[in-house]
Amino acid sequence: MSSHTLPTPPSDKEARSYYAGLPSRPRLVARTGTTPWREPTGPEAYSVIRELRAVGNHDTLQEIWEDSLAPKVHALLDSMRVKWTSTDVVRFGLPEKKPSRRVILWIGVMPSSLSGHDGIEVALKCRELLVHDGILDVDVEIRESVVTRSAGPKLLQSGGTFDHTIDIREPLTPTLGLSISAQDTPWAEGTGGFFLTEDGKPDRLLLVTARHVVFMQGESNELFEHKSNSKRRNVTLFGNAGFDKYLESIQTEIKKKVYLAEYHHRCMESAERRGADSEVKAARNSLKEVKEAIEALGTLYQQVSADWATLDSRVLGHVILSPPISVNNDGDTVDWAVIEIDACKIDQKNFEGNAIDLGTRIESDEFTLMICPNYMNAPTFKYPSGRRLELKGTIPEDEMRRPRALDQYGKPCLMVIKRGSGSGLTVGRANNFFSYVRNYFDDGSGKTSKAWAILPRDSKSRSFSEQGDSGSVIVDGSGRMGGLLIGGAGDPDNLDITYATPINFLLASMERKGLSKPNIFPVPTA
């Protein structure tokens, strides 16, 4: 590389604007690319909007990334005393345009821990590793980013298609995405991922989540195994803030319906004055329907307020098994807990197996296009008539790395879904390159782990996950489970990348710890 093409540290404006369009808009520290950044000018100047994209085809890099290149990059960063938080391999694109041809080795570092000049040196050294391995079409970019771990009566049955409380009652049903909290720490909430049973015990229903949802940082990080004579570690539906927020959401929905009823009433009066009989009939029918919705929502509010107000009334069950959070020899994160559900909460009348309720907030045709952005793909997704996407099968790790489906730009990409208690139902792009995360401990030491990376769907969509979504199960349009959500990178309130533990490793880890042949497709029993 000649001296006149050497990269220079970004200006303050470039550092702040370079990643416009990303959820957290992280600050650029350094980059090896030499294409000049141009500051927006003019009276209506806007920053260039960027979108994160899955890498897609790059067989040469994929062959060496996990087993060879990533460990060398991490060793280099450690030798240069870089406080790095994650290493991701991504592409960027502009909205509604094909992604850039160049792939980016995207390194996250702790905020204010690396200067622009030192960042350039680090980025160039990382680029040298790529060139040494014959990878010439990959640039290195460093940004500031933190990795965050996002943490009564019988449950209700799912509402029918024409139920006025469909979306509001969903958090109280056994569909996936339950908002949960340890009873001892009701200020911290997460998500129940998926149900399972053990071989020979089909009547004992279990729920899987991330360990850090039910065991807080600072608590003893040791194997937890419930014994018959020991105190239960109870898990509740909602923590304190989550329950208050849920009640508030019902009240808000009632207010919206009241305003809508007033509108239909005015429309009816106006039509009567004009003698427009057909309009009168339509307005009267709409008013009747809205009044029925107000009554149904009011009944639900009274039921929830009376039956679910205390933590004791919201106990779902208790933790029976959870190994300490750790990283195995292959770099996979062990971060899971198994909860035994109390039989009085879920039975064959309200449990219909593992399923995600797609709700009514996204129209069926719009949602289908999100999951199937390219008509050339085999038709693997059909919007379920009852809105419940039933889960079946798991995504092979080979397909995670080499997806068969194409996105709207004709690039290999697996679209995925999750429903979490923090951000609800979202659709994202699974990256086919696994990422690496560095977690730091109080003594300054760190541990590196590998994770399946999920990117936002595009620059117009929000982050794939938010705080409170840890423990959610991530699936594809066929209902195949892919992983358990454990955290993300970016700003804690705006994550650019979501990280998950692959489902097949998770199930194998559970079996090694004593669960007998975990069955992730439990059948309701009497």
Side-chain angles (χ1 to χ4, degrees):
M1 183 180 290
S2 60
S3 61
H4 70 277
T5 60
L6 282 173
T8 58
S11 66
D12 182 64
K13 287 186 177 179
E14 179 183 0
R16 287 186 286 107
S17 304
Y18 189 76
Y19 292 119
L22 272 60
S24 78
R25 198 163 177 158
R27 185 179 180 87
L28 172 68
V29 175
R31 61 188 179 98
T32 59
T34 56
T35 302
W37 176 78
R38 290 181 172 81
E39 182 179 348
T41 58
E44 296 185 1
Y46 296 99
S47 298
V48 174
I49 300 299
R50 297 174 185 270
E51 293 181 352
L52 280 166
R53 303 282 177 81
V55 174
N57 294 326
H58 201 305
D59 291 343
T60 306
L61 182 57
Q62 190 135 47
E63 286 292 330
I64 64 172
W65 170 239
E66 292 181 35
D67 296 330
S68 173
L69 181 58
K72 288 192 289 188
V73 170
H74 301 156
L76 173 64
L77 294 173
D78 290 341
S79 72
M80 299 182 76
R81 298 187 177 182
V82 176
K83 298 288 282 186
W84 64 278
T85 57
S86 60
T87 53
D88 310 282
V89 183
V90 299
R91 290 186 199 264
F92 285 95
L94 303 179
E96 300 180 8
K97 293 184 182 295
K98 290 185 177 181
S100 167
R101 292 183 178 180
R102 297 193 73 80
V103 173
I104 302 297
L105 170 54
W106 209 31
I107 301 172
V109 298
M110 297 289 279
S112 304
S113 67
L114 189 66
S115 69
H117 287 284
D118 290 342
I120 289 293
E121 182 182 357
V122 172
L124 289 174
K125 289 288 187 183
C126 290
R127 175 104 170 90
E128 287 176 7
L129 292 178
L130 290 160
V131 173
H132 181 269
D133 285 336
I135 308 294
L136 306 180
D137 58 347
V138 176
D139 282 321
V140 179
E141 295 182 6
I142 302 175
R143 90 283 191 190
E144 294 185 349
S145 173
V146 296
V147 173
T148 306
R149 282 199 170 104
S150 310
K154 184 193 297 185
L155 295 182
L156 306 180
Q157 287 181 279
S158 299
T161 303
F162 303 105
D163 192 314
H164 295 299
T165 63
I166 283 178
D167 288 313
I168 290 294
R169 72 189 282 126
E170 184 273 332
L172 299 177
T173 70
T175 52
L176 302 184
L178 289 171
S179 177
I180 62 173
S181 174
Q183 188 172 13
D184 292 340
T185 55
W187 58 85
E189 295 177 287
T191 302
F194 58 92
F195 295 103
L196 56 78
T197 55
E198 283 188 274
D199 184 47
K201 301 177 182 178
D203 56 340
R204 187 170 79 148
L205 189 63
L206 308 175
L207 177 67
V208 178
T209 188
R211 178 185 171 100
H212 69 266
V213 169
V214 291
F215 290 89
M216 295 298 97
Q217 185 174 0
E219 294 189 71
S220 177
N221 187 32
E222 299 176 347
L223 173 66
F224 179 90
E225 195 169 7
H226 179 73
K227 305 296 183 182
S228 58
N229 59 349
S230 61
K231 179 184 176 183
R232 288 177 30 140
R233 187 174 184 90
N234 285 338
V235 175
T236 67
L237 181 67
F238 295 120
N240 289 338
F243 181 71
D244 291 342
K245 184 179 178 181
Y246 178 62
L247 279 180
E248 185 180 329
S249 72
I250 301 177
Q251 291 177 312
T252 299
E253 194 67 24
I254 291 173
K255 289 178 182 177
K256 288 164 61 177
K257 297 296 184 185
V258 169
Y259 294 147
L260 190 58
E262 292 172 352
Y263 167 74
H264 288 311
H265 185 74
R266 291 197 303 274
C267 289
M268 186 174 66
E269 288 182 334
S270 174
E272 286 174 342
R273 287 194 297 271
R274 291 181 284 106
D277 294 342
S278 60
E279 292 183 29
V280 170
K281 182 178 180 180
R284 183 178 290 119
N285 289 338
S286 296
L287 180 60
K288 178 176 180 291
E289 184 175 338
V290 172
K291 285 183 175 179
E292 289 174 352
I294 293 172
E295 183 178 354
L297 288 166
T299 300
L300 178 63
Y301 181 83
Q302 294 300 324
Q303 180 184 0
V304 173
S305 299
D307 296 343
W308 300 76
T310 66
L311 281 172
D312 285 342
S313 67
R314 300 201 301 273
V315 171
L316 286 175
H318 65 285
V319 181
I320 62 168
L321 180 63
S322 182
I325 295 176
S326 60
V327 179
N328 73 358
N329 292 333
D330 294 325
D332 296 297
T333 301
V334 178
D335 182 0
W336 55 266
V338 177
I339 301 159
E340 180 177 348
I341 300 297
D342 291 346
C344 62
K345 295 296 182 181
I346 298 178
D347 58 23
Q348 65 178 151
K349 293 182 180 179
N350 61 359
F351 181 64
E352 301 178 67
N354 279 320
I356 293 178
D357 191 333
L358 302 182
T360 61
R361 301 189 189 282
I362 305 176
E363 294 293 336
S364 59
D365 56 344
E366 180 184 356
F367 189 84
T368 301
L369 191 59
M370 290 178 181
I371 297 298
C372 306
N374 193 315
Y375 70 92
M376 296 295 291
N377 291 329
T380 57
F381 175 77
K382 291 184 179 180
Y383 196 92
S385 57
R387 308 179 328 278
R388 296 176 68 261
L389 178 63
E390 296 183 0
L391 305 195
K392 48 189 176 183
T394 60
I395 304 172
E397 287 199 26
D398 180 66
E399 189 174 343
M400 289 180 177
R401 293 175 172 85
R402 291 177 173 79
R404 302 183 183 94
L406 304 176
D407 65 10
Q408 64 266 47
Y409 309 107
K411 303 298 182 182
C413 182
L414 183 65
M415 305 302 291
V416 292
I417 309 161
K418 78 101 189 63
R419 178 181 280 281
S421 67
S423 59
L425 183 71
T426 55
V427 177
R429 297 170 178 266
N431 195 9
N432 58 312
F433 276 72
F434 275 50
S435 292
Y436 289 84
V437 174
R438 169 62 67 90
N439 287 304
Y440 291 92
F441 307 108
D442 293 339
D443 62 2
S445 63
K447 193 75 173 177
T448 302
S449 60
K450 184 169 59 177
W452 188 35
I454 313 297
L455 314 177
R457 185 170 54 85
D458 57 34
S459 60
K460 297 178 184 177
S461 65
R462 52 185 171 159
S463 302
F464 181 72
S465 68
E466 298 175 4
Q467 290 190 15
D469 287 331
S470 276
S472 303
V473 65
I474 299 172
V475 308
D476 69 0
S478 299
R480 296 182 301 172
M481 296 187 192
L484 192 75
L485 196 155
I486 56 173
D491 181 281
D493 295 323
N494 295 284
L495 298 177
D496 300 310
I497 299 182
T498 293
Y499 298 126
T501 298
I503 189 70
N504 292 310
F505 162 75
L506 185 70
L507 296 175
S509 176
M510 290 178 182
E511 194 158 11
R512 284 194 297 270
K513 290 297 181 182
L515 283 187
S516 177
K517 298 180 181 178
N519 171 28
I520 57 176
F521 305 109
V523 177
T525 59

